Each structure stands twice: as C-alpha cells, then as structure tokens.
Amino acid sequence: MSSAAKPPPPRPGFGAPRRRLEEILRVDHAGELAAVQIYKGQSMVFRDTPKRELSEQFSHMQGEEQVHLDAFEGLLRERNVRPTALTPVWRLAALGLGVGTALLGEKAAHACTEAVEEVIADHYAEQIAELETSDPALAQRLVQFREDEIGHHDRAVDQGAREATGYPLLSALIKTGCRVAIKLSEKL
C-alpha cells in the first residue's frame, strides 16, 4: 500500500472538543435515565404500604428527573450524539438499586438518594466549569439541573439518610458504582 493511500495522522487535539461534548451528553443522559429508574423503583416499593407518602415523594423526584432526561434526549438528537451502549444495563441496574434500597427501608432509600445525588452534583459542577466558555448555554442548563440534584440530596439528608443501617458501606458502594458508571458511559 502506498503512503498516499493512508489517511494523514490526526492533528493533536483535532476533534477533541466534539468528542468531549459527546461524552458529556452521553453520560448525563445515562445518569438522568438511571435517576428516573431509581426513583421509579423506590416509588413502586412504597406505593401500597403505610409509607405511601414516600412513594409520592419518590414519584415527584422521578418526574423532576424525567424533565432532565427529556432535555438530554433532545440534546442527543439535536447534536447527533448516540446514547451509551450500556443504556439497557443502566436501566435495569438503576431500577434494581431503587427497589433494593427501598426494600432495605426508608432510611436506606434516602441514603441511596443522598449518595447518587452527591456524585451527580459534583460531576455536574466539573462539567459546568469545563463548559462555561465553550458552551455557556449547556453550562447554564446543567446549573439548573444541578440545583435540582442538590435539592434531592438535601431532602434525603433531612429525612435520615445517614441513619440507615450500614450507611457508610451502603453510601460508599453506591458512590463507587456511580463513578464507575460515569466512566463507562462516557466511553461506551
């Protein structure tokens, strides 16, 4: 094969901003999809129990996360970015996490919310700083979403998240799972 037939090597950084934007949109879509599923699972567990108000609370948060998910689905279409290939895995894993923590009890469900929302709020803060100059409109949207996530986090703490049995271990496991999911969703 002649050297004329080979494509030129990529320039340093060529395409990097586009790839990074794809990673951001892909992972944020995955995160919001997972949040919807977590709250759906928690809501289902508490629906027909004496703690029905918890079902309503988790259902309300599910609706807020659905607004975020709908926004990211629109951004994926608008900017021609594919979602993560792990979407089916995250959908099932997140629903299982929601159901599982709710079955452990009210405090464990709140501990799940606190852990997930803390990781997501931190993740959004990093993205906001990164996007402030390159995509200020997207950065502003993330600011709004981050405020919702912080609200969910704070409500969970107020409702006893840190009183859950085995809280340090439960919180650490959920946070680690979220961080692994973030890294995988950015790339796959």
Side-chain angles (χ1 to χ4, degrees):
M1 177 180 231
S2 72
S3 62
K6 292 181 187 178
R11 291 178 290 166
F14 182 72
R18 170 68 185 173
R19 279 192 304 273
R20 181 62 186 135
L21 178 64
E22 289 173 356
E23 289 175 353
I24 288 170
L25 294 177
R26 188 172 15 264
V27 72
D28 290 354
H29 173 264
E32 297 299 347
L33 178 129
V36 166
Q37 294 301 309
I38 290 168
Y39 290 133
K40 177 181 179 181
Q42 291 173 331
S43 179
M44 288 181 345
V45 169
F46 291 113
R47 183 175 300 131
D48 295 320
T49 71
K51 302 216 176 215
R52 180 168 173 73
E53 72 280 355
L54 284 174
S55 176
E56 294 166 4
Q57 177 185 340
F58 289 125
S59 183
H60 177 77
M61 291 190 296
Q62 177 187 348
E64 291 176 338
E65 300 293 358
Q66 185 66 52
V67 170
H68 301 176
L69 176 59
D70 292 344
F72 281 111
E73 287 179 349
L75 286 165
L76 289 178
R77 282 190 305 275
E78 175 186 310
R79 298 190 186 200
N80 198 28
V81 175
R82 67 164 177 79
T84 178
L86 297 171
T87 295
V89 174
W90 297 155
R91 181 176 281 122
L92 184 60
L95 183 64
L97 180 60
V99 168
T101 56
L103 289 172
L104 291 173
E106 174 182 350
K107 304 291 187 198
H110 292 312
C112 175
T113 296
E114 180 204 10
V116 168
E117 299 295 19
E118 182 177 316
V119 171
I120 298 308
D122 290 348
H123 184 68
Y124 274 155
E126 292 169 9
Q127 291 178 338
I128 291 163
E130 183 178 348
L131 294 167
E132 281 177 325
T133 56
S134 65
D135 195 333
L138 180 56
Q140 188 55 46
R141 190 171 245 178
L142 295 183
V143 166
Q144 295 165 350
F145 293 168
R146 183 174 185 269
E147 289 172 5
D148 290 342
E149 311 305 354
I150 291 169
H152 296 165
H153 171 276
D154 292 350
R155 187 175 315 129
V157 171
D158 290 345
Q159 293 180 345
R162 295 176 182 163
E163 299 166 19
T165 301
Y167 167 79
L169 179 60
L170 181 63
S171 180
L173 287 173
I174 292 169
K175 287 176 182 179
T176 299
C178 289
R179 289 181 185 113
V180 168
I182 286 169
K183 290 300 177 196
L184 290 173
S185 295
E186 283 179 340
K187 303 301 180 189
L188 302 176

